[in-house]
């Protein structure tokens, strides 16, 4: 008997040793299954499970039976053939040199509504094909190959070609489709050694390392720990992040208003965790651990013109986070798992019923609320409050800002609204009038920042007023952060003081935007306030402060201050080196080295930027400017000519025009400046510079150019100042005074008395 006990004890000890060595590194979903079978079953077969797979007969959805697809959809386009070579999945398509080549499919990417395919290249680089498989049913228009860029003729060498930098998996995609991914780019030999703990999005991607969790649980199970007295276990289950269970979140209906409210304080860290992948952001490290501050590893995008419509609705592919944090739902404490099953990723209940978990159907699922026929599309919560847009050809995604339809804000050209998405034969004006008739007023909703974003984009004479309206209102922080940096466009004592105040905000995005605004002011007025942000608790803020102060002369700086500055700048440099395979990172490195006086390193970075992307317009412009500062005018001219030949970009014609200005060749300067102005008639800066160059020859024509530009950009300060000066020079004091008053109005915010 004693021998048997000894034998079993020996086996148990060996098993513990095996478990310890196994879980010291990575825990697989199968390891979690034993204790969490329901969660495993829900996760298995989900989009997270199928985020990335090795290409084989079980994972590939597409037709590889000699299927032929022509890019640009015509027979004379590039012919791509999908076929099989024994058990290998193959594609014959245009490679890096533009010629047809055979490639083996190494991995699949996603599963529904589309599946993409990946090819290994030398030096560890992995590229994603820009022809994808439509996984939808025949009835839905699927079961076909289609191009992700159907309306563009993209050839080899283009950044969007499937062999180009914007279709590179290592940088563009990998971080979100695999668990604990390390990119491992080596700038010296231009290679990747990308690794992952799990090829897909597994348990540890969201819950963090589970080794200690399993070890601890095993000890409790074996009786070696008292679960009830184990504070570590009770606190966080020995995980880096501990999610609240659904039963721990109590949404209650207010008796008087009928509206839901959370009975206890809500922690939004789950939203920040999901934001790691479900957001439009840039990345500056790959050592994120669930529970970390999102902004210590990523920089989320704000409500910029290229990404969002002026009313804040989704435009470009921005995913979810930037929309959700605009919403009243988010600010009331709603988190992702209130609506979504975090393992299946499906809605917890289908359709409008997910809304009715909190919102009373007796109050909202009625014609007195939606004014549409019951069970019609117009009566659907999601259709009206989460209007959808299609990305990647077939992927329909809903806006998560949960906004009240405001067709009155969508009357500017190109801005969609939920009403005319269905009523395609009607106008936004018609929809706005209908809503006002229904409710007796225009419902304002929570996102009341559209006038400010529109004014900023159009550079109207109301821009500064609208910026202050946002800053002085109860408006989502993402909107405030999106306008604060524009205070610096209107430099005055007033905007300087406001920017300094915003620097003390509790929101990191607002603090960072305030730093950007302050960079427009003389450093002697801002240094004392910017310097402490080198030690801000949030990395995105520290990096921006370091960027601004990287050109700061050491002067009489004390030893401690120098150490703080050096540490922050090195942190900034490392963040750029992390993405050094990107031309924009090389340009930032070049500027940093210039600030340090290291011109040799700066030039290497410029050259690397152009090697990485020969069509990089900023690389040509900034490198030429660098050469000019060194007195290498001829080289700068040749570089600009080369850039124009490759890109035909307005900004390079503009730069070339300025080169001719410095060379005192007025005629050629005007030709190139006019070219840039004609190519981008909405660019107030190009119109202004062209007019200034024209003024030496024909002041009246310069005034006409400026007046035309002002019709589109009524608040552009440079244009207004030039008009004031040229009218004054021409003896027209009336118009000179008119524009002087206009400048004063544009540059000053007056508090409105109620």
């Amino acid at each position: 008997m004693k021998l048997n006990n000894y034998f079993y004890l020996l086996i148990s000890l060996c098993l513990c040793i095996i478990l310890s060595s196994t879980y010291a590194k990575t825990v697989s979903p199968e390891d979690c299954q034993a204790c969490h079978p329901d969660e495993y079953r829900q996760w298995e077969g989900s989009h997270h499970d199928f985020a990335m797979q090795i290409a084989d007969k079980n994972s590939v959805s597409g037709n590889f039976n000699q299927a032929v697809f022509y890019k640009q959809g015509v027979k004379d386009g590039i012919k791509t053939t999908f076929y099989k070579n024994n058990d290998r999945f193959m594609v014959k398509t245009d490679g890096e040199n533009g010629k047809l080549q055979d490639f083996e499919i190494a991995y699949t990417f996603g599963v529904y509504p589309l599946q993409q395919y990946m090819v290994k290249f030398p030096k560890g680089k992995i590229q994603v094909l820009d022809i994808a498989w439509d996984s939808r049913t025949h009835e839905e228009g699927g079961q076909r190959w289609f191009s992700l860029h159907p309306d563009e003729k993209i050839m080899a060498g283009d950044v969007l070609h499937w062999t180009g930098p914007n279709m590179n998996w290592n940088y563009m995609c990998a971080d979100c489709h695999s668990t604990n991914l390390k990119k491992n780019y080596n700038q010296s030999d231009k290679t990747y050694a990308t690794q992952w703990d799990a090829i897909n999005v597994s348990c540890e991607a969201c819950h963090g390392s589970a080794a200690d969790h399993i070890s601890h649980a095993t000890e409790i199970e074996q009786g070696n720990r008292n679960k009830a007295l184990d504070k570590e276990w009770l606190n966080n289950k020995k995980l880096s992040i501990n999610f609240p269970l659904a039963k721990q979140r109590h949404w209650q209906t207010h008796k008087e208003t009928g509206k839901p409210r959370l009975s206890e304080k809500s922690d939004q860290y789950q939203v920040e965790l999901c934001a790691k992948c479900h957001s439009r952001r840039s990345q500056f490290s790959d050592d994120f651990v669930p529970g970390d501050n999102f902004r210590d590893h990523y920089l989320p995008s704000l409500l910029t013109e290229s990404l969002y419509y002026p009313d804040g609705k989704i435009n470009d592919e921005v995913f979810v986070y930037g929309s959700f944090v605009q919403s009243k739902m988010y600010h009331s404490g709603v988190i992702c798992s209130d609506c979504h099953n975090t393992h299946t990723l499906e809605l917890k209940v289908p359709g409008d019923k997910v809304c009715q978990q909190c919102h009373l159907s007796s109050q909202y699922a009625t014609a007195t609320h939606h004014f549409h026929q019951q069970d019609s599309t117009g009566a659907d919560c999601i259709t009206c409050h989460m209007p959808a847009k299609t990305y990647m050809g077939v992927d329909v995604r809903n806006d998560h800002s949960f906004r009240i339809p405001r067709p009155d804000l969508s009357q500017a050209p190109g801005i969609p609204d939920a009403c005319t998405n269905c009523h395609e034969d009607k106008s936004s004006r018609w929809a706005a009038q209908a809503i006002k008739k229904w409710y007796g007023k225009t419902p304002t909703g929570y996102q009341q920042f559209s006038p400010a974003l529109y004014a900023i984009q159009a550079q109207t004479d109301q821009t500064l007023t609208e910026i202050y309206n946002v800053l002085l209102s109860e408006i989502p922080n993402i909107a405030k952060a999106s306008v604060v940096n524009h205070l610096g466009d209107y430099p005055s004592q007033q905007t300087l003081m406001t920017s300094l105040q915003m620097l003390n905000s509790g929101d990191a995005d607002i603090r960072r935007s305030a730093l950007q605004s302050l960079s427009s002011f003389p450093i002697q007025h801002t240094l004392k306030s910017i310097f402490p942000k080198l030690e801000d608790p949030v990395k995105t803020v520290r990096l921006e402060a370091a960027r601004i102060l990287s050109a700061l002369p050491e002067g009489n700086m004390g030893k401690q201050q120098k150490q703080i500055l050096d540490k922050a700048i090195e942190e900034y440099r490392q963040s750029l080196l992390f993405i050094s395979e990107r031309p924009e990172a090389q340009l930032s490195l070049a500027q940093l080295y210039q600030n340090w006086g290291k011109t040799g390193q700066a030039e290497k970075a410029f050259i690397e930027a152009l090697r990485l992307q020969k069509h990089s317009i900023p690389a040509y412009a900034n490198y030429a400017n660098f050469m000019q500062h060194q007195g290498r005018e001829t080289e700068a001219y040749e570089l600009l000519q080369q850039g124009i030949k490759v890109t035909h970009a307005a900004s390079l014609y503009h730069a070339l025009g300025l080169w001719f200005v410095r060379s005192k060749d007025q005629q050629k300067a005007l030709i190139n400046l006019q070219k840039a102005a004609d190519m981008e008639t909405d660019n107030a800066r190009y119109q202004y510079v062209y007019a200034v160059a024209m003024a030496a020859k024909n002041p009246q024509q310069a005034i006409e150019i400026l007046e035309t530009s002002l019709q589109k950009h009524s608040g552009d300060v440079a244009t207004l100042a030039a008009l004031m000066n040229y009218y004054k020079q021409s003896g027209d004091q009336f118009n000179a005074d008119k524009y002087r008053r206009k400048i004063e109005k544009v540059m000053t915010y007056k508090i409105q008395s109620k």
Side-chain angles (χ1 to χ4, degrees), residues 52-56 59-60 89-90 103-109 117-121 126-127 196 199:
M52 181 173 165
Q53 303 174 86
I54 294 172
D56 59 28
S59 63
V60 172
F89 291 85
M90 307 291 294
F103 300 95
E104 180 179 359
I105 303 298
Y107 305 103
T108 64
F109 219 47
Y117 300 94
M118 298 154 62
V119 172
K120 291 181 179 180
F121 277 74
I126 297 176
Q127 298 293 128
W196 57 68
I199 192 172

PDB file of all heavy atoms in Angstrom, residues 52-56 59-60 89-90 103-109 117-121 126-127 196 199:
ATOM      1  N   MET A  52      -6.244  33.479 -38.421  1.00  0.00           N
ATOM      2  CA  MET A  52      -5.153  33.096 -39.313  1.00  0.00           C
ATOM      3  C   MET A  52      -4.932  31.599 -39.147  1.00  0.00           C
ATOM      4  O   MET A  52      -4.965  31.084 -38.035  1.00  0.00           O
ATOM      5  CB  MET A  52      -3.887  33.877 -38.978  1.00  0.00           C
ATOM      6  CG  MET A  52      -2.700  33.576 -39.866  1.00  0.00           C
ATOM      7  SD  MET A  52      -1.318  34.697 -39.509  1.00  0.00           S
ATOM      8  CE  MET A  52       0.032  33.860 -40.323  1.00  0.00           C
ATOM      9  N   GLN A  53      -4.740  30.914 -40.267  1.00  0.00           N
ATOM     10  CA  GLN A  53      -4.534  29.463 -40.231  1.00  0.00           C
ATOM     11  C   GLN A  53      -3.510  29.064 -41.284  1.00  0.00           C
ATOM     12  O   GLN A  53      -3.316  29.773 -42.281  1.00  0.00           O
ATOM     13  CB  GLN A  53      -5.847  28.718 -40.523  1.00  0.00           C
ATOM     14  CG  GLN A  53      -6.998  29.036 -39.601  1.00  0.00           C
ATOM     15  CD  GLN A  53      -8.282  28.368 -40.046  1.00  0.00           C
ATOM     16  OE1 GLN A  53      -8.547  27.223 -39.707  1.00  0.00           O
ATOM     17  NE2 GLN A  53      -9.084  29.081 -40.823  1.00  0.00           N
ATOM     18  N   ILE A  54      -2.879  27.928 -41.063  1.00  0.00           N
ATOM     19  CA  ILE A  54      -2.028  27.343 -42.093  1.00  0.00           C
ATOM     20  C   ILE A  54      -2.938  26.888 -43.234  1.00  0.00           C
ATOM     21  O   ILE A  54      -3.994  26.305 -43.010  1.00  0.00           O
ATOM     22  CB  ILE A  54      -1.226  26.163 -41.533  1.00  0.00           C
ATOM     23  CG1 ILE A  54      -0.229  26.671 -40.477  1.00  0.00           C
ATOM     24  CG2 ILE A  54      -0.496  25.410 -42.633  1.00  0.00           C
ATOM     25  CD1 ILE A  54       0.479  25.569 -39.725  1.00  0.00           C
ATOM     26  N   ALA A  55      -2.545  27.196 -44.444  1.00  0.00           N
ATOM     27  CA  ALA A  55      -3.372  26.865 -45.601  1.00  0.00           C
ATOM     28  C   ALA A  55      -3.371  25.362 -45.851  1.00  0.00           C
ATOM     29  O   ALA A  55      -2.322  24.767 -46.140  1.00  0.00           O
ATOM     30  CB  ALA A  55      -2.875  27.613 -46.839  1.00  0.00           C
ATOM     31  N   ASP A  56      -4.525  24.747 -45.721  1.00  0.00           N
ATOM     32  CA  ASP A  56      -4.679  23.329 -46.037  1.00  0.00           C
ATOM     33  C   ASP A  56      -6.127  23.093 -46.441  1.00  0.00           C
ATOM     34  O   ASP A  56      -6.939  24.024 -46.501  1.00  0.00           O
ATOM     35  CB  ASP A  56      -4.258  22.431 -44.869  1.00  0.00           C
ATOM     36  CG  ASP A  56      -5.048  22.685 -43.591  1.00  0.00           C
ATOM     37  OD1 ASP A  56      -6.219  23.117 -43.690  1.00  0.00           O
ATOM     38  OD2 ASP A  56      -4.514  22.451 -42.497  1.00  0.00           O
ATOM     39  N   SER A  59      -8.766  24.554 -44.041  1.00  0.00           N
ATOM     40  CA  SER A  59      -8.849  25.996 -43.778  1.00  0.00           C
ATOM     41  C   SER A  59      -9.185  26.827 -45.011  1.00  0.00           C
ATOM     42  O   SER A  59      -9.748  27.914 -44.891  1.00  0.00           O
ATOM     43  CB  SER A  59      -7.526  26.497 -43.183  1.00  0.00           C
ATOM     44  OG  SER A  59      -6.461  26.319 -44.102  1.00  0.00           O
ATOM     45  N   VAL A  60      -8.852  26.362 -46.197  1.00  0.00           N
ATOM     46  CA  VAL A  60      -9.039  27.151 -47.421  1.00  0.00           C
ATOM     47  C   VAL A  60     -10.492  27.079 -47.876  1.00  0.00           C
ATOM     48  O   VAL A  60     -11.042  25.995 -48.076  1.00  0.00           O
ATOM     49  CB  VAL A  60      -8.101  26.663 -48.541  1.00  0.00           C
ATOM     50  CG1 VAL A  60      -8.433  27.358 -49.859  1.00  0.00           C
ATOM     51  CG2 VAL A  60      -6.649  26.915 -48.154  1.00  0.00           C
ATOM     52  N   PHE A  89      -1.719  24.661 -52.168  1.00  0.00           N
ATOM     53  CA  PHE A  89      -2.588  25.644 -52.814  1.00  0.00           C
ATOM     54  C   PHE A  89      -1.703  26.700 -53.463  1.00  0.00           C
ATOM     55  O   PHE A  89      -0.831  27.275 -52.801  1.00  0.00           O
ATOM     56  CB  PHE A  89      -3.547  26.262 -51.796  1.00  0.00           C
ATOM     57  CG  PHE A  89      -4.572  25.293 -51.290  1.00  0.00           C
ATOM     58  CD1 PHE A  89      -4.285  24.440 -50.219  1.00  0.00           C
ATOM     59  CD2 PHE A  89      -5.824  25.209 -51.884  1.00  0.00           C
ATOM     60  CE1 PHE A  89      -5.225  23.535 -49.754  1.00  0.00           C
ATOM     61  CE2 PHE A  89      -6.771  24.308 -51.426  1.00  0.00           C
ATOM     62  CZ  PHE A  89      -6.469  23.467 -50.369  1.00  0.00           C
ATOM     63  N   MET A  90      -1.949  26.980 -54.738  1.00  0.00           N
ATOM     64  CA  MET A  90      -1.043  27.813 -55.527  1.00  0.00           C
ATOM     65  C   MET A  90      -1.800  28.961 -56.197  1.00  0.00           C
ATOM     66  O   MET A  90      -3.011  28.890 -56.413  1.00  0.00           O
ATOM     67  CB  MET A  90      -0.356  26.972 -56.602  1.00  0.00           C
ATOM     68  CG  MET A  90       0.346  25.727 -56.098  1.00  0.00           C
ATOM     69  SD  MET A  90       1.822  26.078 -55.106  1.00  0.00           S
ATOM     70  CE  MET A  90       2.888  26.829 -56.344  1.00  0.00           C
ATOM     71  N   PHE A 103       3.180  31.123 -57.000  1.00  0.00           N
ATOM     72  CA  PHE A 103       3.412  31.299 -55.566  1.00  0.00           C
ATOM     73  C   PHE A 103       2.587  30.279 -54.788  1.00  0.00           C
ATOM     74  O   PHE A 103       1.443  29.993 -55.145  1.00  0.00           O
ATOM     75  CB  PHE A 103       3.002  32.707 -55.114  1.00  0.00           C
ATOM     76  CG  PHE A 103       3.740  33.823 -55.801  1.00  0.00           C
ATOM     77  CD1 PHE A 103       3.190  34.446 -56.916  1.00  0.00           C
ATOM     78  CD2 PHE A 103       4.962  34.260 -55.330  1.00  0.00           C
ATOM     79  CE1 PHE A 103       3.854  35.485 -57.545  1.00  0.00           C
ATOM     80  CE2 PHE A 103       5.642  35.300 -55.949  1.00  0.00           C
ATOM     81  CZ  PHE A 103       5.081  35.914 -57.072  1.00  0.00           C
ATOM     82  N   GLU A 104       3.160  29.784 -53.706  1.00  0.00           N
ATOM     83  CA  GLU A 104       2.417  28.878 -52.844  1.00  0.00           C
ATOM     84  C   GLU A 104       1.716  29.668 -51.745  1.00  0.00           C
ATOM     85  O   GLU A 104       2.300  30.569 -51.135  1.00  0.00           O
ATOM     86  CB  GLU A 104       3.349  27.850 -52.196  1.00  0.00           C
ATOM     87  CG  GLU A 104       2.612  26.866 -51.287  1.00  0.00           C
ATOM     88  CD  GLU A 104       3.507  25.827 -50.669  1.00  0.00           C
ATOM     89  OE1 GLU A 104       4.733  25.849 -50.954  1.00  0.00           O
ATOM     90  OE2 GLU A 104       3.006  24.980 -49.886  1.00  0.00           O
ATOM     91  N   ILE A 105       0.461  29.347 -51.504  1.00  0.00           N
ATOM     92  CA  ILE A 105      -0.294  29.970 -50.419  1.00  0.00           C
ATOM     93  C   ILE A 105       0.162  29.343 -49.102  1.00  0.00           C
ATOM     94  O   ILE A 105       0.067  28.131 -48.915  1.00  0.00           O
ATOM     95  CB  ILE A 105      -1.807  29.766 -50.599  1.00  0.00           C
ATOM     96  CG1 ILE A 105      -2.276  30.316 -51.950  1.00  0.00           C
ATOM     97  CG2 ILE A 105      -2.574  30.402 -49.447  1.00  0.00           C
ATOM     98  CD1 ILE A 105      -2.071  31.797 -52.126  1.00  0.00           C
ATOM     99  N   ALA A 106       0.639  30.172 -48.194  1.00  0.00           N
ATOM    100  CA  ALA A 106       1.145  29.670 -46.913  1.00  0.00           C
ATOM    101  C   ALA A 106       0.078  29.706 -45.819  1.00  0.00           C
ATOM    102  O   ALA A 106      -0.007  28.787 -44.997  1.00  0.00           O
ATOM    103  CB  ALA A 106       2.359  30.476 -46.479  1.00  0.00           C
ATOM    104  N   TYR A 107      -0.722  30.773 -45.800  1.00  0.00           N
ATOM    105  CA  TYR A 107      -1.688  30.947 -44.720  1.00  0.00           C
ATOM    106  C   TYR A 107      -3.003  31.506 -45.262  1.00  0.00           C
ATOM    107  O   TYR A 107      -3.038  32.162 -46.298  1.00  0.00           O
ATOM    108  CB  TYR A 107      -1.160  31.927 -43.657  1.00  0.00           C
ATOM    109  CG  TYR A 107       0.175  31.556 -43.079  1.00  0.00           C
ATOM    110  CD1 TYR A 107       1.335  32.224 -43.481  1.00  0.00           C
ATOM    111  CD2 TYR A 107       0.292  30.551 -42.127  1.00  0.00           C
ATOM    112  CE1 TYR A 107       2.570  31.892 -42.946  1.00  0.00           C
ATOM    113  CE2 TYR A 107       1.529  30.213 -41.585  1.00  0.00           C
ATOM    114  CZ  TYR A 107       2.659  30.887 -42.001  1.00  0.00           C
ATOM    115  OH  TYR A 107       3.882  30.555 -41.484  1.00  0.00           O
ATOM    116  N   THR A 108      -4.069  31.255 -44.507  1.00  0.00           N
ATOM    117  CA  THR A 108      -5.345  31.916 -44.768  1.00  0.00           C
ATOM    118  C   THR A 108      -5.538  33.006 -43.731  1.00  0.00           C
ATOM    119  O   THR A 108      -5.015  32.932 -42.612  1.00  0.00           O
ATOM    120  CB  THR A 108      -6.527  30.934 -44.682  1.00  0.00           C
ATOM    121  OG1 THR A 108      -6.635  30.439 -43.333  1.00  0.00           O
ATOM    122  CG2 THR A 108      -6.333  29.762 -45.637  1.00  0.00           C
ATOM    123  N   PHE A 109      -6.319  34.005 -44.112  1.00  0.00           N
ATOM    124  CA  PHE A 109      -6.538  35.163 -43.254  1.00  0.00           C
ATOM    125  C   PHE A 109      -8.033  35.408 -43.157  1.00  0.00           C
ATOM    126  O   PHE A 109      -8.667  35.805 -44.134  1.00  0.00           O
ATOM    127  CB  PHE A 109      -5.822  36.366 -43.872  1.00  0.00           C
ATOM    128  CG  PHE A 109      -5.161  37.265 -42.873  1.00  0.00           C
ATOM    129  CD1 PHE A 109      -4.373  36.744 -41.873  1.00  0.00           C
ATOM    130  CD2 PHE A 109      -5.310  38.643 -42.954  1.00  0.00           C
ATOM    131  CE1 PHE A 109      -3.744  37.570 -40.957  1.00  0.00           C
ATOM    132  CE2 PHE A 109      -4.686  39.478 -42.044  1.00  0.00           C
ATOM    133  CZ  PHE A 109      -3.896  38.941 -41.044  1.00  0.00           C
ATOM    134  N   TYR A 117      -5.470  35.474 -48.605  1.00  0.00           N
ATOM    135  CA  TYR A 117      -4.432  34.447 -48.694  1.00  0.00           C
ATOM    136  C   TYR A 117      -3.054  35.100 -48.695  1.00  0.00           C
ATOM    137  O   TYR A 117      -2.863  36.181 -49.251  1.00  0.00           O
ATOM    138  CB  TYR A 117      -4.657  33.589 -49.943  1.00  0.00           C
ATOM    139  CG  TYR A 117      -6.006  32.909 -49.895  1.00  0.00           C
ATOM    140  CD1 TYR A 117      -7.122  33.484 -50.490  1.00  0.00           C
ATOM    141  CD2 TYR A 117      -6.184  31.724 -49.179  1.00  0.00           C
ATOM    142  CE1 TYR A 117      -8.371  32.899 -50.400  1.00  0.00           C
ATOM    143  CE2 TYR A 117      -7.432  31.127 -49.080  1.00  0.00           C
ATOM    144  CZ  TYR A 117      -8.527  31.720 -49.693  1.00  0.00           C
ATOM    145  OH  TYR A 117      -9.757  31.140 -49.579  1.00  0.00           O
ATOM    146  N   MET A 118      -2.109  34.397 -48.060  1.00  0.00           N
ATOM    147  CA  MET A 118      -0.801  34.977 -47.797  1.00  0.00           C
ATOM    148  C   MET A 118       0.321  34.131 -48.384  1.00  0.00           C
ATOM    149  O   MET A 118       0.244  32.907 -48.415  1.00  0.00           O
ATOM    150  CB  MET A 118      -0.619  35.138 -46.284  1.00  0.00           C
ATOM    151  CG  MET A 118      -1.641  36.094 -45.684  1.00  0.00           C
ATOM    152  SD  MET A 118      -1.979  35.789 -43.943  1.00  0.00           S
ATOM    153  CE  MET A 118      -0.380  36.078 -43.247  1.00  0.00           C
ATOM    154  N   VAL A 119       1.357  34.840 -48.832  1.00  0.00           N
ATOM    155  CA  VAL A 119       2.486  34.207 -49.509  1.00  0.00           C
ATOM    156  C   VAL A 119       3.779  34.605 -48.798  1.00  0.00           C
ATOM    157  O   VAL A 119       3.980  35.772 -48.460  1.00  0.00           O
ATOM    158  CB  VAL A 119       2.543  34.638 -50.993  1.00  0.00           C
ATOM    159  CG1 VAL A 119       3.823  34.135 -51.653  1.00  0.00           C
ATOM    160  CG2 VAL A 119       1.304  34.144 -51.739  1.00  0.00           C
ATOM    161  N   LYS A 120       4.650  33.621 -48.585  1.00  0.00           N
ATOM    162  CA  LYS A 120       5.958  33.895 -47.982  1.00  0.00           C
ATOM    163  C   LYS A 120       6.937  34.406 -49.037  1.00  0.00           C
ATOM    164  O   LYS A 120       6.978  33.896 -50.160  1.00  0.00           O
ATOM    165  CB  LYS A 120       6.531  32.628 -47.347  1.00  0.00           C
ATOM    166  CG  LYS A 120       5.794  32.154 -46.103  1.00  0.00           C
ATOM    167  CD  LYS A 120       6.468  30.911 -45.533  1.00  0.00           C
ATOM    168  CE  LYS A 120       5.785  30.418 -44.269  1.00  0.00           C
ATOM    169  NZ  LYS A 120       6.443  29.206 -43.730  1.00  0.00           N
ATOM    170  N   PHE A 121       7.732  35.407 -48.639  1.00  0.00           N
ATOM    171  CA  PHE A 121       8.781  35.947 -49.490  1.00  0.00           C
ATOM    172  C   PHE A 121      10.118  35.819 -48.762  1.00  0.00           C
ATOM    173  O   PHE A 121      10.158  35.551 -47.560  1.00  0.00           O
ATOM    174  CB  PHE A 121       8.490  37.422 -49.817  1.00  0.00           C
ATOM    175  CG  PHE A 121       7.537  37.617 -50.966  1.00  0.00           C
ATOM    176  CD1 PHE A 121       6.183  37.369 -50.817  1.00  0.00           C
ATOM    177  CD2 PHE A 121       7.993  38.026 -52.204  1.00  0.00           C
ATOM    178  CE1 PHE A 121       5.306  37.538 -51.864  1.00  0.00           C
ATOM    179  CE2 PHE A 121       7.134  38.201 -53.272  1.00  0.00           C
ATOM    180  CZ  PHE A 121       5.786  37.956 -53.111  1.00  0.00           C
ATOM    181  N   ILE A 126       6.081  38.463 -45.413  1.00  0.00           N
ATOM    182  CA  ILE A 126       4.863  37.774 -45.819  1.00  0.00           C
ATOM    183  C   ILE A 126       3.902  38.803 -46.395  1.00  0.00           C
ATOM    184  O   ILE A 126       3.661  39.856 -45.782  1.00  0.00           O
ATOM    185  CB  ILE A 126       4.210  37.034 -44.636  1.00  0.00           C
ATOM    186  CG1 ILE A 126       5.166  35.950 -44.115  1.00  0.00           C
ATOM    187  CG2 ILE A 126       2.878  36.423 -45.034  1.00  0.00           C
ATOM    188  CD1 ILE A 126       4.652  35.218 -42.884  1.00  0.00           C
ATOM    189  N   GLN A 127       3.364  38.515 -47.570  1.00  0.00           N
ATOM    190  CA  GLN A 127       2.491  39.454 -48.266  1.00  0.00           C
ATOM    191  C   GLN A 127       1.084  38.870 -48.423  1.00  0.00           C
ATOM    192  O   GLN A 127       0.921  37.659 -48.531  1.00  0.00           O
ATOM    193  CB  GLN A 127       3.063  39.802 -49.641  1.00  0.00           C
ATOM    194  CG  GLN A 127       4.419  40.498 -49.601  1.00  0.00           C
ATOM    195  CD  GLN A 127       4.357  41.885 -48.999  1.00  0.00           C
ATOM    196  OE1 GLN A 127       5.111  42.210 -48.086  1.00  0.00           O
ATOM    197  NE2 GLN A 127       3.450  42.726 -49.492  1.00  0.00           N
ATOM    198  N   TRP A 196       5.064  34.124 -33.180  1.00  0.00           N
ATOM    199  CA  TRP A 196       3.842  34.217 -32.390  1.00  0.00           C
ATOM    200  C   TRP A 196       3.783  33.062 -31.410  1.00  0.00           C
ATOM    201  O   TRP A 196       4.443  32.048 -31.582  1.00  0.00           O
ATOM    202  CB  TRP A 196       2.608  34.209 -33.295  1.00  0.00           C
ATOM    203  CG  TRP A 196       2.519  32.984 -34.183  1.00  0.00           C
ATOM    204  CD1 TRP A 196       2.307  31.694 -33.810  1.00  0.00           C
ATOM    205  CD2 TRP A 196       2.666  32.956 -35.605  1.00  0.00           C
ATOM    206  NE1 TRP A 196       2.303  30.863 -34.897  1.00  0.00           N
ATOM    207  CE2 TRP A 196       2.515  31.614 -36.028  1.00  0.00           C
ATOM    208  CE3 TRP A 196       2.884  33.928 -36.576  1.00  0.00           C
ATOM    209  CZ2 TRP A 196       2.588  31.226 -37.361  1.00  0.00           C
ATOM    210  CZ3 TRP A 196       2.952  33.544 -37.906  1.00  0.00           C
ATOM    211  CH2 TRP A 196       2.801  32.207 -38.283  1.00  0.00           C
ATOM    212  N   ILE A 199      -1.013  31.001 -33.585  1.00  0.00           N
ATOM    213  CA  ILE A 199      -1.200  31.562 -34.917  1.00  0.00           C
ATOM    214  C   ILE A 199      -2.472  32.391 -35.011  1.00  0.00           C
ATOM    215  O   ILE A 199      -2.571  33.308 -35.824  1.00  0.00           O
ATOM    216  CB  ILE A 199      -1.217  30.435 -35.977  1.00  0.00           C
ATOM    217  CG1 ILE A 199      -1.110  31.027 -37.389  1.00  0.00           C
ATOM    218  CG2 ILE A 199      -2.459  29.567 -35.838  1.00  0.00           C
ATOM    219  CD1 ILE A 199      -0.935  29.983 -38.475  1.00  0.00           C
TER     220      ILE A 199
END
